[in-house]
Amino acid sequence: MERITGLIDAPFTPMKPNGDINPEPIPAYASMLASNGLKGVFINGSSGEGYMLTTDERKQLAEKWMASVPAGFKVIVHVGSCCLRESVELAKHAAQIGAWGIGSMAPPFPKIGRIEELVKYCEAIAAAAPSLPFYFYHIPAFNGCNLPMLDLLKAVDGRIPNFAGIKYTFESLYEYNQCRLYAGGKYDMLHGQDETYLASLAQGGAQGGICGTTNYNGREQVAIGEAWAAGDIEKAQELQNFSQEVINVICRYRGNIVGGKRIMKLIGLDLGPNRVPWRNMTDDEEASMKKELEAIGFFERCNRL
C-alpha cells in the first residue's frame, strides 16, 4: 500500500450558530490547507467532533470533502463509533465515494481492555472496505484504550490485509519507534503529536503525520520536516519550539478542539461553534487568546487563506 509522505490535517467540522453542520466553507477550507503545504485530511476525527455527529452528518461531510479537494489531496475518513455496525456502514460509504483511506480510534464506550478485542473491532471495520488502507487511531487520552501498540501490530500482521498502520497520538516516542521498526518497517506509523514531530524525525521515522494544529499553523509545521530534510537543525528546532508555543496558548483555552477552532475565525475562516457539551469560548476569552498569539508573532506565521 502507498505510504503517506508529508502532513495530513485533522480538520474541524464547520457548524452553524445553532449547531447544525455547515458544509459551505469546506471548498475554501480544502484550498487553504493544500496551499499551505498539507497533503490531505483525516475527517470526522477528534478535531472534527466526529463522535458527536450523526451518521448522516458524517456522510454529508465526507461527500463534501471529496467534492472539494484538489487532485492528489488525500481524504481519510474516520469511521469509529461506539456502534460497530455504524462504523461498518461508514467504512462502506467511504469506499463508495472514493475516499483514499479510512481510520478508527477505539470506542470510548465500552472501553477495550484486551488486544484481541481491539483486533476484532479493527478487523470488522477494515473488512467493510477491503480496497482501502485502514489506520488505527491510537489516542488513549480520549478513550482510555492504553494497550501496547507493538502487540497490536503483531496481532494484526497476517490477519487484516488492509491494515496500513497507526496514527500514533501518544507520548511514548520509544513505543512509537519500536512500532516503526517492527518487521523491517512494515507498517506506516503516522506521527500524531504536533509538539514532538521533530523528535520523531530524529529517530528516522515520521515520513507522514496527522496533525490538528496544522489547521492554522500548517506552514510552520510543514517547515519542520523541510528544515530537517535540508539538514538545518537549528531552523527545525526553532520551528518546533514555535509550534509548542502555539500549543501552550491553545491549552489555556480548552485545547485544539475549542481554542484551535476559534483561531480559524481569527485567521479569516469562521467555522462556527463547538457542539454541546463542549464549552465554547467567550468573546473575552477570544480577545485574550488573540493577544497571547500576537505576543508570540503567530499571525505573521500562520496559514494564509
Side-chain angles (χ1 to χ4, degrees):
M1 288 179 283
E2 180 186 350
R3 298 271 177 135
I4 291 174
T5 301
L7 297 182
I8 303 291
D9 180 72
F12 304 110
T13 293
M15 292 184 182
K16 298 176 182 178
N18 68 354
D20 290 346
I21 63 168
N22 178 23
E24 284 190 19
I26 289 177
Y29 198 173
S31 177
M32 182 267 287
L33 292 172
S35 66
N36 284 275
L38 283 304
K39 303 302 181 184
V41 284
F42 183 63
I43 66 168
N44 298 342
S46 51
S47 295
E49 304 173 71
Y51 273 91
M52 301 160 74
L53 304 172
T54 68
T55 299
D56 183 62
E57 287 173 331
R58 293 169 77 167
K59 289 180 178 180
Q60 287 182 53
L61 290 164
E63 290 167 8
K64 187 66 173 182
W65 275 104
M66 286 301 300
S68 302
V69 298
F73 198 77
K74 292 177 171 62
V75 176
I76 306 171
V77 183
H78 175 260
V79 299
S81 170
C82 291
C83 175
L84 182 57
R85 293 186 177 188
E86 181 178 71
S87 294
V88 166
E89 180 181 344
L90 289 168
K92 290 178 178 178
H93 178 261
Q96 289 166 359
I97 64 174
W100 184 87
I102 57 172
S104 177
M105 66 176 78
F109 178 85
K111 286 185 172 61
I112 290 178
R114 295 173 59 246
I115 288 291
E116 179 59 21
E117 294 168 358
L118 183 56
V119 173
K120 286 184 176 179
Y121 178 77
C122 294
E123 190 173 34
I125 298 171
S131 64
L132 301 185
F134 170 85
Y135 286 88
F136 176 64
Y137 179 9
H138 183 50
I139 183 165
F142 274 34
N143 52 30
C145 182
N146 196 5
L147 293 171
M149 288 296 99
L150 187 58
D151 288 352
L152 175 65
L153 293 183
K154 292 175 181 177
V156 302
D157 195 354
R159 181 167 168 180
I160 303 179
N162 57 327
F163 191 100
I166 298 173
K167 179 197 174 187
Y168 190 90
T169 307
F170 188 55
E171 291 80 11
S172 178
L173 287 168
Y174 169 69
E175 182 186 49
Y176 168 83
N177 200 47
Q178 289 299 296
C179 290
R180 186 185 67 82
L181 294 172
Y182 171 73
K186 180 174 182 176
Y187 291 104
D188 197 9
M189 292 297 299
L190 302 176
H191 190 71
Q193 281 209 310
D194 304 18
E195 56 268 43
T196 57
Y197 180 42
L198 179 57
S200 66
L201 288 171
Q203 292 185 111
Q207 299 306 308
I210 301 179
C211 307
T213 64
T214 45
N215 283 290
Y216 39 87
N217 195 42
R219 291 196 306 155
E220 301 297 281
Q221 199 74 15
V222 168
I224 295 171
E226 293 173 342
W228 174 262
D232 192 342
I233 308 305
E234 289 186 3
K235 179 64 174 175
Q237 290 171 334
E238 188 279 326
L239 289 160
Q240 182 68 90
N241 290 338
F242 176 74
S243 170
Q244 291 190 0
E245 285 190 276
V246 174
I247 291 167
N248 289 341
V249 173
I250 64 169
C251 283
R252 290 191 281 274
Y253 298 92
R254 297 186 284 289
N256 184 56
I257 297 173
V258 175
K261 192 174 188 181
R262 186 62 69 94
I263 290 177
M264 301 303 290
K265 176 186 173 185
L266 297 178
I267 67 172
L269 188 65
D270 191 348
L271 300 179
N274 299 100
R275 276 197 171 167
V276 175
W278 288 111
R279 181 164 57 92
N280 282 281
M281 289 178 62
T282 66
D283 291 342
D284 286 345
E285 286 176 317
E286 179 185 313
S288 176
M289 182 174 69
K290 183 180 179 183
K291 288 181 180 178
E292 291 188 38
L293 292 169
E294 288 172 340
I296 63 173
F298 169 77
F299 294 103
E300 291 74 40
R301 303 174 67 164
C302 66
N303 285 351
R304 301 282 184 262
L305 293 179

